[in-house]
Amino acid sequence: MRRVSKADGEPMTTVSQLLYVDHLVRVTCTVTPGSALIRITGELDKTNSAEVLRTLERTRGIDHPLVLDVRQVGFTDVTAVRALAAFAERAGAPIRDTPHQMRRLIRLMRLRPFGEPENPSS
């Protein structure tokens, strides 16, 4: 845990925790008073996407808005993209900083890009 001072001088607590790790991927959560940032780092594929999804589902119990950061995901397959999209929709959690390879796969799958609102006119 690390403490950071707010502008008004009151202490603000930021807590980071490792939620899941295997030989390909690492999932961490940093909780601040305003949000919970879930960072996914490494590779997501059919061998670990179910366990990562279970881990993400457990974060829904956190009493803060969730945000998923996938900027450090170096590889993802179709299974993982579907799992992330399903979680984001159920949890109302935006996914930010989508890497190029993942954006390309999302486009090929004809899914709405992560981090973009639905277009009501489509």
Side-chain angles (χ1 to χ4, degrees), residues 53-70:
L53 181 57
R54 278 190 287 278
T55 299
L56 292 174
E57 288 294 341
R58 287 192 301 267
T59 66
R60 291 179 68 186
I62 297 172
D63 193 27
H64 295 286
L66 300 174
V67 177
L68 272 66
D69 183 324
V70 294

Side-chain angles (χ1 to χ4, degrees), residues 92-107:
I95 298 176
R96 71 178 198 192
D97 298 322
T98 310
H100 172 74
Q101 181 269 347
M102 192 182 296
R103 285 193 315 266
R104 183 174 183 270
L105 185 55
I106 291 165
R107 190 172 52 250

